Amino acid sequence: MSFADLGLSDELLRTVTDAGYTDPTPIQASAIPSVLMMRDIIGIAQTGTGKTASFVLPMIDILAQGRSRARMPRSLILEPTRELAAQVAENFEKYGANHKLSMALLIGGVSMGDQIKALEKGVDVLIATPGRLMDLFGRGNILLTGCSLLVIDEADRMLDMGFIPAIEEICTKLPTARQTLLFSATMPPPIKKLADRFLSNPKMIEVARPASANVNIKQLIVPVSASAVDKRVRLRELLRREEVTNAIIFCNRKTTVRELNKSLRQHGFKSGEIHGDMEQAQRIAELDLFKAGTVNILVASDVAARGLDIKGVSHVFNFDAPWHPDDYVHRIGRTGRAGATGTAYTLVTPADAENIAEIEKLTGHKIERVEAVSTPAVPRAPVEEAPAPRRERPARAEYRPRAEAASPVEAPERDEASIPAEQPRAARPERGGRDRNQDRPRDQDQGGADEGWNGPVPDFLHVAFTV
Ligand code: AMP
């Protein structure tokens, strides 16, 4: 099937050709004709499948008819994070180049005044995170009664972040006679319930998980001991051994992200970090450095795992094996994008065996084990250390005897495994709960109240503009 068979306008077909797309992806082939026929859709698909264009392209044709009115957006796209919202906005800008549609982006972390001004001019497409939208709605700056097309994107991620009640409330503010498109990588019961309540006779479209189907990603497991020192030594060996153009290294906790980045920099690597505790401006700056190649290693928490579309990421390293198999799929999906090849290494401690088994069950792929390069660090009994010179000796509370020797090839460093974990391992969150956010370990970084990690904020962010 070609794009010409999907019912898109000639202008859009030109845009698609200009974008270099020859054939529609499976989700595009299934969704575009149905969206154009005004049907509700449930799309079980994740980033990397071309799902954004599957709703943006037909929306552009639908919205080409009609005019926007002040404070009454004609369509609404809900995204869980500012980054994803900004990425969808970029897609509208790209695909809408031959149309005159106005768009506004409502996301946390940027001035509300400019967003209100944009809304007052009237917009065809409003792209928002639920928190900021509810805020502006509460202040009376926005009316959703003219919104006849709703897209709920990354619904399972919305569930993870505790946004379902806000989405339910938003749905009740829109006209009942509307078209609703819901996209989700998985369909846990709360999302199914949401769909049953707010969608009408939806067409169900399911496409293969890109990561499980993506043969371009070479997946490898490196067994390591639970010692953080050992893990860092193994990681550095891999970084030096591999031809790393640029890499994202995922950790389960923000503390680990910070400590690992510090350690990598001390060992001469050009690395940066991204996690949900950072200010918006800092996150953007770090990502820009990574995109520009000023740093070629980005140490990240799971907020960077979904949706990030950076070309040419050669490697993903899971410094910590993810707690949930879905997160593994999202993390490794940052490499091997757009037909390129990529490599994903996961450092696996004996305690991670169950997680790995779940990942292999989900992806249906047995991950190859590779041996570590050098002899693992051998734990030894704590040794008496001569007191450090007065100035260098750490404060009493921080002082710990060195518990493990480092690898023979590396200078010893402090073992962060000796730092009490912020949350016991047993507190591992379960999937599919009512609000999984409540179960998450305190430091597991899912973005939470600040709506997650943010990518670069495009120039058009502050104002409505014509695309
Ligand atoms: P998405 O799943 O929407 O995040 O898209 C993933 C990537 O696929 C983006 O970089 C898109 O530009 C690209 N893409 C979308 N549709 C197509 C297509 N039909 N052919 C080739 N690449 C595409």
Side-chain angles (χ1 to χ4, degrees):
M1 186 180 278
S2 77
F3 273 107
D5 301 323
L6 303 182
L8 294 167
S9 65
D10 290 346
E11 281 132 313
L12 270 183
L13 291 179
R14 273 203 303 279
T15 309
V16 162
T17 311
D18 291 348
Y21 305 160
T22 47
D23 298 305
T25 65
I27 183 93
Q28 290 163 0
S30 301
I32 290 173
S34 302
V35 178
L36 288 171
M37 283 189 271
M38 316 305 273
R39 274 201 74 172
D40 283 5
I41 300 274
I42 297 177
I44 314 283
Q46 50 187 236
T47 54
T49 55
K51 82 172 154 70
T52 317
S54 80
F55 59 86
V56 171
L57 291 173
M59 275 179 79
I60 291 171
D61 266 349
I62 290 169
L63 295 167
Q65 318 294 325
R67 278 191 63 230
S68 61
R69 290 160 62 191
R71 283 189 291 158
M72 291 180 75
R74 298 170 62 206
S75 64
L76 170 65
I77 300 174
L78 292 173
E79 292 291 334
T81 66
R82 302 170 201 162
E83 155 64 15
L84 286 170
Q87 249 174 227
V88 171
E90 280 173 2
N91 273 263
F92 259 101
E93 195 187 33
K94 177 165 122 187
Y95 302 132
N98 298 326
H99 290 74
K100 284 190 186 333
L101 296 177
S102 59
M103 170 172 72
L105 190 54
L106 295 192
I107 55 178
V110 293
S111 147
M112 242 191 220
D114 292 339
Q115 297 181 347
I116 293 169
K117 267 189 228 151
L119 280 171
E120 276 169 0
K121 284 189 196 152
V123 292
D124 297 302
V125 187
L126 179 61
I127 304 168
T129 49
R132 179 54 65 101
L133 181 70
M134 289 307 289
D135 233 5
L136 285 171
F137 190 84
R139 290 161 191 249
N141 294 111
I142 185 166
L143 280 169
L144 295 173
T145 45
C147 200
S148 54
L149 206 167
L150 169 68
V151 180
I152 305 169
D153 197 16
E154 301 270 329
D156 54 351
R157 177 95 157 108
M158 300 273 200
L159 174 68
D160 276 345
M161 296 175 72
F163 285 150
I164 297 302
I167 291 172
E168 286 173 344
E169 202 180 332
I170 291 165
C171 284
T172 61
K173 316 277 184 217
L174 268 75
T176 35
R178 62 158 193 272
Q179 185 178 12
T180 308
L181 317 176
L182 181 144
F183 293 89
S184 192
T186 55
M187 272 308 252
I191 299 300
K192 171 91 180 55
K193 221 171 113 197
L194 184 81
D196 289 347
R197 187 168 161 207
F198 293 108
L199 275 72
S200 162
N201 186 27
K203 177 177 172 182
M204 189 86 147
I205 300 166
E206 185 160 3
V207 297
R209 291 170 172 278
S212 53
N214 192 344
V215 288
N216 295 338
I217 305 173
K218 188 174 175 193
Q219 301 174 53
L220 299 159
I221 277 176
V222 179
V224 291
S225 83
S227 152
V229 170
D230 188 32
K231 288 172 84 174
R232 290 203 288 256
V233 171
R234 296 292 155 259
L235 178 71
R236 291 196 293 272
E237 285 170 352
L238 291 170
L239 286 169
R240 289 185 180 121
R241 184 178 78 179
E242 291 283 308
E243 281 175 20
V244 174
T245 314
N246 51 20
I248 303 180
I249 303 175
F250 286 102
C251 307
N252 289 351
R253 292 188 163 93
K254 295 170 204 166
T255 1
T256 319
V257 170
R258 282 190 289 261
E259 298 210 12
L260 180 60
N261 182 31
K262 200 170 145 202
S263 161
L264 286 170
R265 295 182 80 92
Q266 279 167 354
H267 282 83
F269 291 95
K270 290 189 294 173
S271 62
E273 67 185 53
I274 287 249
H275 55 75
D277 269 357
M278 291 161 67
E279 291 292 325
Q280 158 98 350
Q282 263 181 302
R283 299 172 184 177
I284 293 169
E286 288 286 304
L287 190 77
D288 283 350
L289 290 176
F290 185 62
K291 282 183 169 171
T294 314
V295 301
N296 70 332
I297 294 170
L298 190 65
V299 188
S301 62
D302 274 299
V303 288
R306 294 197 189 204
L308 243 195
D309 190 21
I310 300 175
K311 300 266 180 301
V313 175
S314 65
H315 288 73
V316 163
F317 295 91
N318 290 312
F319 184 75
D320 297 313
W323 283 309
H324 292 299
D326 277 351
D327 291 335
Y328 176 84
V329 173
H330 287 295
R331 287 179 182 188
I332 72 165
R334 297 315 100 210
T335 183
R337 293 181 81 75
T341 54
T343 308
Y345 277 100
T346 303
L347 302 187
V348 174
T349 72
D352 295 324
E354 194 194 324
N355 292 344
I356 298 300
E358 282 180 30
I359 289 166
E360 291 179 334
K361 194 168 141 209
L362 177 81
T363 59
H365 171 78
K366 177 97 179 140
I367 310 172
E368 187 187 336
R369 270 73 174 159
V370 288
E371 280 313 308
V373 184
S374 66
T375 322
V378 182
R380 68 175 186 215
V383 288
E384 278 296 315
E385 287 197 342
R390 200 167 174 70
R391 256 184 307 128
E392 290 167 23
R393 187 172 172 172
R396 194 176 169 73
E398 295 166 12
Y399 184 73
R400 290 176 197 87
R402 199 190 318 144
E404 298 195 22
S407 149
V409 295
E410 294 260 355
E413 59 175 300
R414 188 165 65 86
D415 184 355
E416 69 184 324
S418 62
I419 303 168
E422 279 144 79
Q423 188 83 17
R425 184 75 177 74
R428 177 179 128 151
E430 290 302 321
R431 279 281 186 210
R434 191 176 50 82
D435 176 359
R436 292 176 225 161
N437 221 23
Q438 293 167 357
D439 301 332
R440 285 197 182 265
R442 186 163 52 82
D443 199 33
Q444 191 186 0
D445 188 0
Q446 289 290 330
D450 78 344
E451 291 177 341
W453 172 80
N454 258 302
V457 178
D459 296 341
F460 51 75
L461 197 152
H462 299 286
V463 285
F465 72 104
T466 302
V467 291

